[in-house]
């Protein structure tokens, strides 16, 4: 029966087949690859078809890890439909997807476990746990506390991971050690390389990657310390040059000038990536609201407040609907944005 179906499919004109399959979602196309060789060749290795399909079915797509399936990573659409399940790559209950917007995924833990996944191919690259040679005596591998960030360097197409070993105890001589790993580099880059720190303690939980640059807010240990560092002070690491950029004043400090900002604390602020820009979110309790400041000019450190959101009204609407009940059907563990193409095998060498 399958042989007869395959023979019939082979007689379909190529241009007709192209147009028909182009209308189908990626999830169905992945199943139809088993029909015959010509269908598999078109939907698996044809770059023109993959590009046309991506244009006909624009995202966004998301990578998701669920609490009831700790060993898998899913590609889902905006409606929550699972387009693909990559099994056996979740790393267990303590591995979380990093919040990225890339064609690769990164799963990591706080104690120095990190792997990079290509959702299109299912290939996984487990990064080494041993530190860079120059940091061999500065890292306690028996009790590591780590932060990871994955980004892409647009100029070279390289994907790089920034790792930070964090020794707690700022007032007792603690230190933060930084290293870089090139995921798709040659044999010479297949190791961690030690890099200098920014000269300030950073809040590792605030890290966000925008256009190949990792941004951090400074550590909360500076609150109350008279050192001229305000709560929205930002440092950034360029994955391309593998160096720290000039420090950046946030919008609150920039607008305050030389005046003090006593009513702001570090816990009111967070960083995010939206629409390809660095965003500082300013949370207020009275009234319950949130301002979103977009970094409009990186070179001059100019910020623009594009959104003022009344969070109290949003929460009230959610409580009055069945939204929480629907979400509760399957609890998300972690999520990221997926910009890759499930039909493309062109980046199999990424990991």
């Amino acid at each position: 029966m399958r042989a007869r179906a395959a023979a019939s499919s082979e007689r379909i004109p190529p241009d007709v087949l192209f147009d028909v399959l182009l209308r189908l979602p990626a999830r169905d196309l992945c199943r139809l690859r088993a029909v015959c060789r010509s269908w598999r060749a078109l939907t698996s290795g044809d770059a023109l078809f993959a590009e046309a399909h991506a244009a006909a079915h624009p995202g966004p797509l998301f990578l998701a890890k669920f609490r009831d399936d700790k060993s898998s990573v899913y590609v889902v659409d905006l409606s929550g439909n699972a387009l693909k399940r990559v099994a056996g790559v979740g790393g267990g209950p303590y591995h979380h997807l990093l919040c990225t917007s890339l064609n690769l995924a990164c799963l990591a833990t706080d104690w120095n476990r990190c792997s990079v996944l290509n959702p299109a191919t299912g290939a996984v690259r487990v990064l080494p746990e041993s530190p860079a040679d120059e940091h061999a005596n500065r890292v306690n591998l028996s009790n590591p506390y780590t932060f990871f960030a994955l980004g892409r360097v647009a100029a070279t197409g390289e994907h790089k991971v920034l790792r930070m070993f964090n020794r707690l105890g700022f007032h007792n001589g603690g230190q933060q050690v930084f290293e870089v790993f090139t995921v798709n580099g040659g044999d010479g880059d297949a190791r961690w390389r030690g890099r200098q720190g920014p000269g300030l303690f950073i809040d590792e939980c605030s890290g966000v990657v925008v256009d190949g640059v990792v941004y951090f807010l400074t550590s909360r240990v500076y609150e109350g310390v008279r050192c001229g560092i305000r709560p929205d002070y930002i440092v950034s690491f360029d994955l391309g040059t593998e160096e720290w950029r000039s420090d950046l004043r946030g919008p609150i400090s920039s607008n305050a000038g030389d005046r003090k900002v006593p009513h702001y604390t570090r816990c009111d602020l967070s960083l995010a990536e939206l629409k390809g820009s660095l965003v500082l979110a300013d949370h207020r309790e009275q009234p319950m609201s949130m301002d979103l400041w977009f970094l409009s000019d990186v070179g001059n450190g100019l910020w623009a407040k594009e959104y003022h959101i009344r969070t109290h009204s949003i929460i009230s609407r959610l409580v009055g609907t069945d939204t929480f009940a629907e979400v509760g059907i399957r609890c998300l563990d972690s999520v990221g944005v997926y910009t890759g193409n499930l039909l493309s095998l062109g980046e199999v060498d990424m990991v």
Side-chain angles (χ1 to χ4, degrees):
M1 187 70 177
R2 177 175 294 183
R4 185 180 303 172
S8 299
S9 64
E10 294 286 359
R11 292 195 291 268
I12 301 176
D15 56 337
V16 174
L17 179 64
F18 190 102
D19 291 339
V20 171
L21 295 184
L22 194 63
R23 301 172 184 270
L24 300 178
R27 177 174 56 181
D28 295 335
L29 288 179
C30 290
R31 296 172 179 172
L32 292 174
R33 286 173 175 169
V35 171
C36 63
R37 293 179 180 177
S38 62
W39 287 32
R40 180 174 180 81
L42 180 63
T43 60
S44 299
D46 192 305
L48 180 62
F49 180 84
E51 183 178 350
H53 189 273
H57 301 267
L61 296 178
F62 300 92
L63 297 171
K65 195 165 181 282
F66 297 99
R67 293 181 184 176
D68 60 352
D69 187 357
K70 299 177 176 61
S71 63
S72 301
V73 171
Y74 291 79
V75 181
V76 300
D77 61 19
L78 195 58
S79 299
N81 300 312
L83 305 181
K84 183 175 183 178
R85 173 176 175 254
V86 188
V89 299
Y94 303 108
H95 285 74
H96 298 287
L97 279 168
L98 300 188
C99 187
T100 58
S101 182
L102 297 168
N103 56 348
L104 300 181
C106 191
L107 297 109
T109 70
D110 291 341
W111 56 89
N112 200 24
R113 305 286 194 277
C114 183
S115 58
V116 178
L117 163 70
N118 186 332
T121 64
V124 179
R125 176 81 176 267
V126 179
L127 303 191
E129 298 178 27
S130 56
D133 294 340
E134 53 267 47
H135 291 160
N137 297 322
R138 298 181 60 190
V139 173
N140 180 12
L141 287 179
S142 63
N143 187 28
Y145 179 56
T146 50
F147 163 84
F148 294 90
L150 170 68
R152 180 178 181 273
V153 181
T156 62
E158 294 175 318
H159 288 77
K160 295 184 179 182
V161 176
L162 174 67
R163 174 170 68 177
M164 184 192 76
F165 288 99
N166 191 21
R167 283 191 179 180
L168 303 180
F170 167 74
H171 296 290
N172 297 318
Q175 59 181 323
Q176 294 176 321
V177 175
F178 297 86
E179 300 177 347
V180 177
F181 189 98
T182 303
V183 177
N184 53 328
D187 294 337
D189 289 328
R191 61 180 181 84
W192 289 105
R193 304 180 296 280
R195 292 297 179 261
Q196 293 292 328
L200 294 170
F201 263 63
I202 65 171
D203 180 359
E204 72 285 352
C205 296
S206 69
V208 62
V209 184
V210 182
D211 195 23
V213 179
V214 191
Y215 294 89
F216 301 92
L217 288 165
T218 51
S219 175
R220 298 183 185 183
V221 299
Y222 295 114
E223 289 184 15
V225 180
R226 294 186 177 181
C227 54
I229 299 175
R230 296 186 175 182
D232 63 340
Y233 203 71
I234 298 171
V235 296
S236 57
F237 183 83
D238 191 320
L239 291 172
T241 62
E242 300 186 7
E243 295 179 348
W244 293 92
R245 290 185 167 188
S246 300
D247 297 344
L248 182 66
R249 294 178 65 181
I252 301 166
S253 298
S254 300
N255 293 333
D258 295 329
R259 293 179 285 111
K260 294 182 179 180
V261 194
H263 59 290
Y264 278 97
T265 60
R266 176 56 193 81
C267 60
D268 296 324
L269 308 174
S270 59
L271 296 178
E273 184 270 335
L274 290 174
K275 299 191 295 186
S277 299
L278 176 67
V279 173
L280 184 135
D282 172 15
H283 310 265
R284 302 286 188 92
E285 293 186 2
Q286 296 297 331
M288 292 183 65
S289 62
M290 179 170 58
D291 292 335
L292 297 184
W293 292 85
F294 283 66
L295 183 60
S296 57
D297 187 333
V298 178
N300 295 312
L302 300 179
W303 298 82
K305 185 168 70 173
E306 295 194 13
Y307 299 98
H308 174 75
I309 304 171
R310 296 178 61 186
T311 53
H312 180 270
S313 60
I314 295 176
I315 294 173
S316 299
R317 292 173 188 172
L318 290 176
V319 171
T321 66
D322 294 329
T323 302
F324 286 136
E326 295 172 3
V327 174
I329 294 175
R330 193 164 196 191
C331 293
L332 274 173
D333 174 79
S334 49
V335 66
V337 177
Y338 179 58
T339 63
N341 192 325
L342 291 177
L343 303 181
S344 175
L345 297 181
E347 299 193 28
V348 66
D349 60 337
M350 284 297 184
V351 291

